[in-house]
């Protein structure tokens, strides 16, 4: 029996908390496992043969299960009665030190709406085992430090499931007389259960080949539904580029004769790095110019590379326990960021990465769910696949590259891979390998692994005679369970600019280790302009009330492109924060706007900046990042002031925006950086014109939509139209839906554009869209398309009467029984209530309490809601 629902936890139960310091090595190991699947869509028989070896005297063999039952159990080929169920676990008493345990289970893939374990997606069968999905297929010590060699036999009806895939290399296949066929796959590399995968179904492959630098010929295949094979070229190019890059940059080669990728439509995450058989959400594989925008192309490149890079950072060296998740995720995110930077524009990539960190991770770090990149406890590990573990984790390792320099860092990673190949390692193992390989001391630096919260660095700059005194003071804010913090190691790339020459005399790496430190610099006859945290060398918030004139100077002169962007951002942040908190007189508002307008005009006119960078520089700081600077915040005010500034910039620079739109509209479509830059800027021009001159913006957007030969232009135009009223809006939305009715990924965009739009009726639109025939709660991409876009639409989500909160709470309750993992992702927007003004905060809290009062919540939702309420 297998109802495939995740175990409900009654509201009165004390939650089960798993703690990092309770780690114990496994009682039993499983050096080999043979799996035999008789696959069918609603009743799959799994025979698992475990070769187990004892590691601890007297301990029974404890095998995890989740929603499954033992059909038969044999030990060494004989019936065996000495077993019992302990909750979901199967506990088998064994007398010797080595046995063969054979267990049959039966699962129902099509009833598995959680999309964890073995499930059906549009007639295909596929698996998702990370973190704890394998136990939904068969009983096993489902923990990442139990590494096994897998032999997998798949059998299925040949007409229904013509393709049978699993990890490793294919070794044999054949047909049976009854219309079924079978395939045997062996994976020579020991791996934890979370990396197991199988896929069965009607799929076609796009194929290519890669020869590793030591001469191994690897057959590459990207498997998709028939008809989609025309949209795999970009993913394949990205894969090949990633394979070559990892050899060159980290000395890492691929280690099997085949590398398979399968794209499926129903997937909780973005993709999964199963050994030799990556399974992807279709959105990170399928692309052509008509249906995928430039951002989609970048995301595909990044995610394909990320999953490939896991072959070393995650698979060859895996995690000892789930508290070490950032060991593989933080490092692999850094690696994919470095790869994308090398394949595009490094500064633009850096800006995008920092924007994501600030939008997603900073709020996490300052809210009720804050946790260190290596958490100390969890109730449900799925809740810890967070921006903190991933993106801040990457920033922490990036700081090691800053401290060590690239060559020495590479010596450290070589040492890490060499020492821990084939092992389940810890974050501590990684840090030690970098210390030893790079020859640096990371004793104090380790606090980045244990302390949560975004450090703030307060900056005071004084000038006397020819000496500059820079005083830096750090504060690491208290976070849940961590009221007191120790000082961190904060590497800050810094430069002092001479106002007269517009240059600096060399960059300094200031490493802040104390709570407060003073650095002095001589040879500055005049007070210089400070450029600090260049390249965002540390994931901190800099507290420095700079003069607008200095920021305008840096925006125009800084030779670090990230610092230029940062100066523009700070200029706007300072102005908007003052505006939202009513600190601006009319004269100050005018002066602030003038400074921002001057910086924008310079960016628009500067021939030394390429359009890709220009497109970044003119994006205003996001509403969430602005809200982070204010507590408590009125989200309506943030939206209003930000839009007012946009309207002012649109009006003041109207001639420039028109010229930009005309110029960029003449650039033909291609994927080269200049054309991509032109497309980015083209829609930005409309974004600014829209609030200033809606009629002109509608005309230009409608023309851009009509002329579009690619999704970037089409989606950009539709986004602008979506925020405005008019027949053109309705016409374009209807056209878009008609045109792409058969393409679910594009229909996702159609939902997102409306849910995230600036239109004052966005909330009403979302309620109507939830009733649309194309909407379903069973497809995670569709749910996210509608409701994540809505939760990120601050003005709509924070509607003063609380209706937006109600909508998200209703979604969580409706989705939870179907897919608790995805449902839990919608809790954090409500969890930010403490940072919101009191009236709305009370409404948000009430919705969290309404959820908490429900019986039978998933462990995922219960943990997030409980922590958000402060329980
Ligand atoms: N390791 C997977 C994430 C799986 C999510 C499980 N809840 C994808 C990745 O980070 O590469
Ligand atoms: Zn990953």
């Amino acid at each position: 029996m297998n109802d495939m629902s995740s175990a409900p936890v009654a509201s009165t139960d004390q939650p089960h908390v798993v703690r990092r310091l309770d780690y114990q090595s496994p009682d039993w190991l499983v050096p080999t496992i043979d799996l035999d699947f008789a696959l069918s869509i609603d009743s799959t028989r799994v025979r698992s043969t475990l070769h187990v070896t004892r590691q601890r005297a007297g301990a029974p063999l404890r095998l995890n299960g989740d929603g499954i039952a033992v059909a038969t159990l044999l030990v060494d080929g004989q019936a065996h009665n000495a077993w019992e169920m302990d909750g979901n676990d199967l506990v088998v008493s064994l007398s010797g030190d080595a046995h063969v345990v054979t267990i049959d289970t039966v699962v129902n893939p099509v009833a598995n709406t959680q999309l964890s374990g073995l499930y059906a997606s549009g007639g295909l069968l596929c698996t998702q085992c990370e973190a704890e999905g394998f136990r939904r297929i068969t009983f096993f010590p489902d923990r990442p430090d139990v590494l096994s060699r897998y032999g997998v036999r798949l059998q299925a009806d040949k007409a229904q499931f013509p393709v049978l895939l699993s990890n490793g290399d294919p070794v044999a296949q054949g047909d049976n007389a009854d219309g079924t066929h079978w395939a045997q796959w062996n994976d020579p590399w020991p791996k934890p259960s979370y990396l197991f995968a199988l896929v069965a179904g009607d799929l076609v492959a796009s194929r290519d080949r890669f020869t590793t630098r030591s001469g191994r010929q690897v057959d590459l295949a990207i498997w998709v539904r028939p008809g989609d094979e025309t949209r795999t070229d970009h993913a394949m190019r990205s894969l090949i580029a990633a394979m070559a890059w990892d050899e060159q940059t980290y000395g890492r080669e691929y280690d099997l004769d085949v590398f398979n990728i399968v794209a499926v439509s129903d997937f909780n995450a973005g993709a999964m790095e199963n050994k030799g058989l990556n399974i992807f959400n279709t959105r990170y594989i399928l692309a052509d110019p008509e249906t995928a925008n430039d951002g989609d192309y970048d995301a595909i490149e990044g995610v394909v590379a990320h999953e490939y890079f896991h072959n070393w950072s995650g698979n060859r060296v895996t995690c000892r326990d789930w508290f070490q998740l950032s060991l593989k995720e933080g490092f692999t995110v850094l690696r994919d960021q470095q790869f994308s930077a090398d394949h595009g524009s490094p500064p633009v990539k850096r800006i995008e990465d920092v924007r994501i960190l600030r939008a997603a991770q900073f709020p996490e770090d300052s809210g009720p769910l804050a946790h260190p990149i290596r958490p100390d406890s969890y109730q449900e590990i799925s809740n810890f696949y967070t921006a903190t573990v991933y993106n801040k984790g990457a920033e922490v390792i990036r700081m090691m590259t800053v401290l060590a320099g690239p060559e020495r860092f590479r010596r450290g990673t070589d040492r890490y891979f060499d020492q821990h190949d084939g092992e389940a390692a810890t974050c501590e193992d990684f840090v030690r390998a970098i210390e030893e390989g790079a020859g640096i001391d990371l004793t104090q630096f380790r606090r980045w692994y244990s302390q949560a919260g975004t450090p703030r660095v307060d900056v005071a700059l004084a000038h006397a005679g020819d000496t500059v005194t820079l005083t830096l003071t750090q504060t690491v804010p208290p976070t849940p369970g961590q009221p007191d913090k120790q000082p961190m190691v904060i590497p800050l790339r810094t430069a002092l600019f001479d106002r007269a020459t517009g240059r600096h005399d060399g960059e300094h790496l200031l490493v802040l280790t104390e709570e407060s430190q003073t650095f002095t610099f001589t040879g500055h006859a005049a007070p210089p302009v400070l450029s600090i945290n260049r390249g965002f060398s540390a994931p901190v918030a800099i507290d420095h009330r700079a003069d607008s004139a200095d920021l305008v100077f840096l925006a125009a002169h800084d030779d670090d492109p990230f610092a230029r962007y940062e100066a523009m951002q700070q200029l706007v942040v300072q102005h908007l924060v003052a505006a939202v908190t009513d600190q601006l007189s009319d004269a100050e508002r005018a002066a602030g706007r003038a400074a921002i307008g001057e910086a924008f005009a310079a960016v628009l006119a500067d021939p030394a900046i390429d359009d890709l960078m220009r497109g970044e520089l003119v994006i205003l700081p996001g509403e969430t990042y602005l809200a982070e600077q204010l507590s408590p915040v009125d989200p309506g005010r943030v939206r209003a002031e930000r839009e007012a500034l946009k309207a002012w910039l649109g009006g003041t620079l109207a001639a420039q925006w028109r010229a930009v739109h005309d110029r960029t509209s003449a650039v033909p479509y291609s994927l080269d950086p200049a054309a991509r830059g032109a497309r980015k800027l083209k829609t930005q021009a409309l974004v600014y014109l829209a609030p200033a001159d809606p009629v002109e913006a509608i005309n230009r957007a409608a023309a851009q939509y009509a002329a579009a030969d690619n999704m970037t232009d089409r989606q950009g135009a539709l986004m602008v139209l979506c925020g405005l009223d008019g027949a053109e809006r309705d016409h374009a939305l209807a056209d878009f839906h008609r045109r792409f009715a058969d393409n679910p990924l594009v229909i996702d965009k159609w939902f997102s554009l409306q849910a995230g739009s600036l239109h004052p009726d966005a909330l009403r639109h979302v309620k109507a869209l939830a009733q649309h025939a194309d909407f379903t709660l069973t497809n995670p991409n569709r749910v996210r398309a509608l409701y994540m876009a809505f939760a990120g639409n601050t003005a709509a989500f924070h509607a003063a009467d609380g209706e937006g909160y109600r909508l998200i709470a209703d979604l969580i309750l409706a989705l939870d029984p179907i897919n608790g993992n995805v449902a839990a992702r919608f809790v954090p927007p409500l969890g930010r209530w403490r940072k919101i003004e009191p009236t709305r905060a009370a409404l948000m809290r009430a919705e969290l309490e309404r959820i908490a009062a429900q019986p039978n919540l998933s462990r995922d939702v219960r943990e997030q809601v409980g922590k958000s309420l402060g329980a």
Side-chain angles (χ1 to χ4, degrees):
M1 259 297 296
N2 175 24
D3 69 5
M4 294 314 249
S5 61
S6 74
V9 178
S11 55
T12 48
D13 281 356
Q14 277 305 314
H16 177 67
V17 178
V18 185
R19 293 179 204 283
R20 182 167 65 86
L21 296 179
D22 289 346
Y23 174 81
Q24 288 213 329
S25 62
D27 292 341
W28 289 81
L29 291 179
V30 189
T32 60
I33 171 172
D34 292 307
L35 287 167
D36 184 344
F37 287 86
L39 294 162
S40 98
I41 200 97
D42 58 0
S43 177
T44 288
R45 201 259 304 131
V46 188
R47 172 157 301 160
S48 169
T49 304
L50 311 175
H51 298 254
V52 299
T53 56
R54 183 185 293 280
Q55 307 298 303
R56 190 164 283 118
L61 175 69
R62 178 175 284 269
L63 305 172
N64 307 114
D66 180 1
I68 54 174
V70 175
T72 59
L73 186 151
L74 306 177
V75 172
D76 302 325
Q78 308 294 313
H80 184 85
N81 292 325
W83 63 269
E84 60 179 13
M85 295 302 296
D86 177 18
N88 278 314
D89 291 351
L90 165 61
V91 182
V92 187
S93 298
L94 295 172
S95 52
D97 289 343
H99 292 280
V100 179
V101 180
T102 308
I103 301 166
D104 280 9
T105 52
V106 178
V107 297
N108 179 355
V110 80
N112 181 355
T113 60
Q114 307 281 340
L115 314 187
S116 163
L118 176 65
Y119 67 93
S121 174
L124 304 174
L125 291 175
C126 65
T127 52
Q128 170 56 37
C129 291
E130 187 177 0
E132 297 182 336
F134 192 69
R135 64 184 64 182
R136 293 163 59 80
I137 301 172
T138 186
F139 290 97
F140 196 76
D142 194 13
R143 43 187 286 171
D145 57 351
V146 173
L147 275 61
S148 317
R149 279 203 176 73
Y150 281 67
V152 179
R153 187 180 191 278
L154 305 173
Q155 178 169 311
D157 182 82
K158 189 169 181 175
Q160 199 179 357
F161 303 104
V163 175
L164 301 173
L165 304 171
S166 190
N167 314 91
D169 293 313
V171 290
Q173 59 181 11
D175 292 342
N176 300 318
D178 61 354
T180 61
H181 69 149
W182 61 273
Q184 174 75 33
W185 290 79
N186 287 354
D187 184 355
W189 298 102
K191 65 170 176 286
S193 50
Y194 83 84
L195 290 173
F196 165 78
L198 75 78
V199 174
D202 185 9
L203 293 158
V204 290
S206 300
R207 294 182 185 276
D208 213 317
R209 222 152 206 244
F210 183 82
T211 307
T212 68
R213 67 177 177 184
S214 63
R216 182 194 283 271
Q217 299 272 309
V218 186
D219 287 326
L220 311 175
I222 299 182
W223 298 88
V224 294
R225 291 180 171 288
D228 283 343
E229 64 275 19
T230 54
R231 299 196 286 143
T232 55
D233 289 359
H234 178 63
M236 184 63 90
R237 270 197 307 273
S238 303
L239 173 62
I240 291 170
M243 294 177 88
W245 185 90
D246 212 18
E247 291 188 352
Q248 241 160 37
T249 315
Y250 282 91
R252 301 294 119 200
E253 264 187 56
Y254 190 60
D255 52 6
L256 290 166
D257 297 334
V258 299
F259 187 77
N260 285 309
I261 289 179
V262 180
V264 302
S265 307
D266 302 281
F267 206 70
N268 283 351
M272 179 63 211
E273 69 264 24
N274 317 298
K275 182 79 186 187
L277 176 57
N278 287 187
I279 299 181
F280 271 65
N281 190 321
T282 44
R283 69 174 296 190
Y284 294 112
I285 291 293
L286 301 179
D288 62 22
E290 238 187 280
T291 59
N293 65 36
D294 292 335
D296 297 327
Y297 272 78
D298 286 346
I300 289 169
E301 179 185 76
V303 178
V304 167
H306 178 101
E307 304 311 329
Y308 173 73
F309 295 154
H310 268 314
N311 191 56
W312 273 95
S313 47
N315 300 4
R316 286 287 285 264
V317 183
T318 194
C319 297
R320 187 192 72 173
D321 55 65
W322 292 119
F323 298 104
Q324 318 300 327
L325 185 56
S326 201
L327 173 71
K328 74 177 178 82
E329 295 305 347
F331 188 26
T332 305
V333 169
L334 174 71
R335 278 150 55 69
D336 85 54
Q337 290 176 349
Q338 292 172 325
F339 165 77
S340 295
D342 287 352
H343 279 78
S345 159
V348 170
K349 176 65 180 150
R350 188 68 189 128
I351 291 168
E352 287 166 356
D353 293 340
V354 173
R355 185 181 297 125
I356 292 170
L357 190 83
R358 285 175 167 161
Q361 199 278 325
F362 278 23
E364 211 164 82
D365 241 352
S366 65
L369 301 170
H371 51 277
I373 66 167
R374 182 189 55 205
D376 288 315
S377 66
Y378 61 77
Q379 295 169 33
E380 170 51 60
I381 185 56
S382 296
N383 288 332
F384 286 79
Y385 287 76
T386 58
T388 298
V389 166
Y390 275 63
N391 303 66
K392 186 175 181 180
E395 293 297 326
V396 168
I397 303 176
R398 186 185 288 268
M399 283 190 284
M400 296 183 197
T401 71
V402 172
L403 291 167
E407 278 107 50
R408 289 197 299 162
F409 178 72
R410 168 68 195 272
R411 272 183 250 149
T413 59
D414 281 353
R415 190 177 178 91
Y416 168 68
F417 287 125
D418 291 349
Q419 280 192 333
H420 298 289
D421 188 10
E423 288 179 13
T426 61
C427 296
E428 174 55 28
D429 291 330
F430 181 83
V431 177
R432 202 177 317 111
I434 300 295
E435 270 185 323
E436 291 170 2
I440 56 174
D441 180 353
L442 295 171
T443 310
Q444 183 186 348
F445 185 88
R446 281 171 172 76
R447 287 178 190 158
W448 281 102
Y449 282 88
S450 54
Q451 294 195 143
T454 305
R456 295 198 78 81
V457 177
D458 179 79
V459 176
L461 191 69
H463 179 259
D466 77 339
T467 303
V468 174
T469 310
L470 177 64
T471 306
L472 303 177
T473 308
Q474 60 164 307
T475 334
V476 188
T479 47
Q482 296 189 333
D484 302 310
K485 299 285 178 35
Q486 303 290 308
M488 303 284 228
V489 176
I490 301 177
L492 295 166
R493 290 174 42 206
T494 304
L496 297 169
F497 278 83
D498 184 319
R499 264 168 241 270
T501 64
R503 286 207 286 275
H504 61 83
D505 58 356
E507 191 179 270
H508 309 270
L509 179 64
L510 308 181
V511 183
L512 181 60
T513 56
E514 311 288 324
E515 200 173 309
S516 187
Q517 262 166 283
T518 297
F519 302 87
T520 53
F521 309 86
T522 53
H524 293 271
V529 180
L530 174 70
S531 168
I532 193 163
N533 206 16
R534 292 152 67 81
F536 203 70
S537 55
V540 300
I542 300 286
D543 236 330
H544 180 213
R545 243 209 99 76
D547 269 2
S548 294
D550 285 1
L551 294 171
V552 173
F553 172 94
L554 292 173
H557 295 289
D558 205 314
D559 56 333
D560 176 58
F562 178 83
R564 246 177 124 160
Y565 159 83
E566 189 66 350
M568 297 274 291
Q569 294 283 297
Q570 202 187 335
L571 192 60
V572 177
V573 168
Q574 285 184 188
H575 176 73
L576 287 179
V577 165
V580 169
T581 50
D582 295 319
Q583 293 174 45
L584 289 183
S585 66
D586 287 351
E588 284 166 337
R589 180 182 291 269
R593 283 180 169 178
I596 294 167
E598 188 188 334
F600 266 65
V603 163
L604 288 177
D606 188 344
I609 306 178
D610 61 48
D611 278 345
L612 215 47
M613 187 67 179
R614 207 185 316 279
E616 285 298 331
L617 291 173
V618 298
I619 298 176
L620 293 179
E623 290 176 27
T624 351
Y625 181 56
L626 288 164
E628 274 297 293
Q629 326 295 317
L630 300 152
S631 188
V633 61
D634 175 344
R637 280 297 302 278
V638 173
R639 162 72 56 96
E641 289 293 348
R642 189 174 179 275
E643 287 307 304
L645 177 63
K646 231 160 85 182
W648 184 83
L649 285 165
T652 304
L653 302 173
Q656 285 95 319
W657 295 122
R658 281 189 203 108
V660 161
H661 195 250
D662 290 342
R663 171 175 71 77
T664 51
S665 296
V667 179
Y669 181 85
S670 86
L671 280 171
D672 71 36
R676 293 172 57 128
R679 287 194 289 279
K680 185 155 152 189
L681 204 53
K682 191 190 302 182
T683 291
Q684 282 300 315
L686 294 181
V687 162
Y688 282 95
L689 284 172
D693 188 344
V695 174
E696 175 169 10
I698 286 175
N699 289 338
R700 283 183 178 264
Q704 179 174 317
Y705 183 91
D709 62 357
N710 65 84
M711 181 51 78
T712 307
D713 287 347
R714 193 181 295 286
Q715 188 176 347
L718 186 57
M719 174 188 73
V720 171
L721 289 172
C722 255
L724 299 164
D725 265 324
E728 290 82 354
R729 176 186 197 273
D730 302 338
H731 173 76
L733 276 171
D735 177 81
F736 193 87
H737 189 275
R738 201 169 37 242
R739 208 179 264 267
F740 300 110
D742 295 337
N743 186 322
L745 294 175
V746 185
I747 296 302
D748 288 341
K749 294 179 188 296
W750 184 81
F751 277 94
S752 284
L753 285 168
Q754 296 175 75
S757 102
L758 291 172
H759 196 287
D761 293 337
L763 196 151
R764 190 170 54 79
H765 296 157
V766 169
K767 288 173 101 170
L769 286 167
Q771 306 304 319
H772 192 280
D774 289 344
F775 187 74
T776 170
L777 284 179
T778 59
N779 178 265
N781 284 357
R782 189 59 47 89
V783 171
R784 288 186 283 253
L786 182 61
Y787 285 104
M788 266 308 166
F790 172 71
N793 186 344
T794 44
F797 174 61
H798 291 285
D801 60 1
E803 200 171 350
Y805 309 142
R806 207 149 46 237
L807 203 61
I808 290 296
D810 285 344
L811 165 73
I812 292 169
L813 290 173
L815 185 57
D816 196 38
I818 299 168
N819 190 330
N821 180 309
V822 176
R825 295 265 162 184
F826 288 90
V827 177
L830 287 171
R832 280 182 207 125
W833 60 274
R834 283 183 188 81
K835 308 212 83 177
I836 309 292
E837 55 82 17
T839 312
R840 286 182 176 88
L843 294 165
M844 294 169 88
R845 206 190 139 86
E847 292 303 329
L848 287 167
E849 277 164 353
R850 177 160 73 92
I851 300 170
Q854 301 300 314
N856 299 327
L857 289 176
S858 67
R859 194 161 58 213
D860 314 52
V861 166
R862 177 146 318 275
E863 176 175 31
Q864 300 302 71
V865 169
K867 287 181 174 171
S868 298
L869 284 167

